[in-house]
Amino acid sequence: MPKEISLPLTAPSAELDNTEPQRLAAIDLGSNSFHLLVANYQNERLQVVARMGEKVQLAAGLDEDGYLNEAAMQRALDCLGRFAPFLNDIENANLRIVGTNALRDAHNSQAFIERAEAQLGHAIEIIAGREEARLIYLGAAHALAENGRRLIVDIGGGSTEFIIGEAFEPKALESLRMGCVTFSSRFFPDGELSEKRMRRAELSALSELANIQRPYLRLGWDDPVGSSGTIKAAASVLYAYGDSPQEGVITRSGLKKLRERLLKCKQLEKVELEGLKPDRAKVFPAGIAILNAIFEAFNLSQMRFADGALREGVLYDMAGRNSAEDTRSKSLDALKRIYDVDSRQAENVADTALRLFNRVKKSWGLTKEQGHYLVWASHVHEIGLAISHSQFHRHGAYLLEHSDLAGFSRPEQRLLAFLVRAHRRKFPTKEWQALPASHQEGCAKLARLLRLAVLINHSRSENPPPLPEISAEGEALLMTLPSSDEPTLLSTDMEQEQAYMTAAGFTFSVA
């Protein structure tokens, strides 16, 4: 029998060796801009190889019903076509493409994602707002050498992220639905700039900020820092006009002067300021309205710009996935504690699932990364018991799909949720068919292995029981049970499982 591989709970991507530089790449599909970052990672540091950014204004292509129009999708695809040549020598495991607010909101985002994935030949992940905030903090924190507690603010095209943290650990994460592109469409739809419209935009931002104002002020910070385009542009304009004590610093008095300069322009098309790039001019006033509200809500006297944001955070997070510090494992450990999961049973099921995985991995063409999701699902398959013993697999799936799980993208959470939903009773064919077509075969195989691991551990013994003989041929599974003159719990369970699999259209034979 071939030697079984050991699969740790961390690092489903390629192993990163600090002695040799690894080429990593990230694409940030933002609501205003798309960004590409390619860098070598070595000794816990990034050395930039290539950096590109384009104003795509994806959020501006959302119609009143929340659908991306064809023009916006084509702008996005054209941009990705220009990014593609930089990805030719990047290993698949060392590339992440993440979508943010506009793709979170668009009802037809999956249609765009399928076209983009076909063009790039790589999966695209839509990340939740708080996960976006965590990654922004990770990128900004690596750009800051100083210690202490800091507030990080990132004004994007469709959302604004707020993080308080120390060193590389966030203490508070929030993502608010306000951005320079969406606020431009909402408050300056015809391009007219006026005091009344600017103040309406500021008041709307203050209304959003009211939800986090008190807890953030109570938590406190020593150093307010801004990242990304709007704040970088504001700092550049203030410095160009001599309204900043030093480059990269925004003061409250300087921000007031900048606001006055913008209002004198009277039209978005006439916004032309020293230090401001022309491609940002039309969304700049809306970004400044949001920034003014932030200064007002948090009573800031100044803020400095940090050159590190989401894409840098994505790269550092990829590197961290290959260590004991993998955020995803920590998130699931926390979930197990919250819902008081039976750790011994979870470990036993995970052990059995991994041994089953190793037996059929080659025959079924499964990857090491898929094995991680099987093990993770094994560890949390019983979290729904904290809600109710009846239908606990459904409750567990809901919790996994809708919780804020740091480190996981939405597609990753849906995969875990499906595995937990499918681990017992009738196979959920409807939910399985709702998964992306490219994921269905692999998800079905993982779900079938998890189901068997749970049944083999039905007696909830102290240690994982012996593994029955199992083999795979095509999609079919064959299990050989120890001979017995009388029915056993295991043989009875497997007989029922055979019926479930037959009903779902899968082949499972028991001898």
Side-chain angles (χ1 to χ4, degrees), residues 320-349:
R321 287 184 170 194
N322 298 274
S323 72
E325 297 302 309
D326 193 325
T327 301
R328 294 171 299 177
S329 292
K330 291 181 178 179
S331 293
L332 294 183
D333 285 342
L335 206 64
K336 288 166 65 178
R337 290 193 296 271
I338 290 170
Y339 294 107
D340 196 25
V341 168
D342 182 341
S343 294
R344 184 188 64 192
Q345 180 68 3
E347 291 286 350
N348 289 349
V349 170

Side-chain angles (χ1 to χ4, degrees), residues 54-241:
E54 288 192 20
K55 297 290 185 296
V56 174
Q57 293 199 342
L58 200 61
L62 283 168
D63 64 23
E64 292 181 356
D65 296 320
Y67 287 86
L68 282 171
N69 61 39
E70 179 59 30
M73 288 196 281
Q74 194 56 56
R75 287 197 305 271
L77 293 170
D78 290 345
C79 174
L80 293 178
R82 289 185 283 274
F83 286 176
F86 292 89
L87 307 176
N88 290 335
D89 60 345
I90 306 295
E91 294 182 16
N92 195 55
N94 291 347
L95 168 64
R96 283 190 75 193
I97 307 171
V98 298
T100 58
N101 188 261
L103 291 176
R104 287 196 291 267
D105 284 352
H107 297 316
N108 60 338
S109 61
Q110 188 58 40
F112 165 73
I113 286 172
E114 288 174 359
R115 293 167 66 181
E117 287 180 340
Q119 178 172 312
L120 295 173
H122 195 278
I124 293 173
E125 310 167 49
I126 299 178
I127 55 175
R130 286 183 178 173
E131 174 63 4
E132 182 181 354
R134 185 188 71 85
L135 292 172
I136 287 168
Y137 180 78
L138 193 59
H142 274 91
L144 299 168
E146 304 87 346
N147 294 320
R149 181 170 293 188
R150 54 179 71 101
L151 167 71
I152 304 288
V153 176
D154 187 299
I155 301 172
S159 63
T160 299
E161 281 65 49
F162 299 84
I163 313 97
I164 295 176
E166 295 180 24
F168 301 121
E169 289 295 323
K171 306 294 183 184
L173 296 163
E174 286 295 344
S175 178
L176 302 184
R177 295 171 61 85
M178 55 186 190
C180 61
V181 176
T182 53
F183 264 40
S184 289
S185 300
R186 182 176 170 190
F187 296 103
F188 312 106
D190 58 1
E192 181 186 341
L193 264 174
S194 66
E195 170 63 36
K196 182 178 180 180
R197 293 186 178 202
M198 180 67 84
R199 190 54 186 165
R200 282 182 59 201
E202 291 167 347
L203 288 171
S204 180
L206 284 168
S207 177
E208 289 288 332
L209 284 160
N211 296 316
I212 67 169
Q213 187 177 15
R214 284 188 178 180
Y216 269 56
L217 287 172
R218 191 182 304 119
L219 193 55
W221 56 82
D222 304 315
D223 185 18
V225 178
S227 64
S228 292
T230 291
I231 293 171
K232 181 179 182 180
S236 177
V237 172
L238 292 184
Y239 188 70
Y241 283 93

Side-chain angles (χ1 to χ4, degrees), residues 4 7 345-361 366 370-379 381 445-454 456-457 464-465 467 470:
E4 294 186 351
L7 200 63
Q345 180 68 3
E347 291 286 350
N348 289 349
V349 170
D351 178 271
T352 301
L354 182 54
R355 286 186 288 149
L356 290 170
F357 175 87
N358 285 321
R359 296 284 176 88
V360 303
K361 177 175 181 277
L366 298 173
Q370 288 174 313
H372 282 276
Y373 287 98
L374 176 61
V375 171
W376 279 331
S378 301
H379 276 273
H381 76 281
K445 289 175 177 177
L446 296 181
R448 292 169 68 188
L449 295 177
L450 178 58
R451 292 171 68 91
L452 294 179
V454 171
I456 290 169
N457 286 275
L467 194 67
I470 188 168

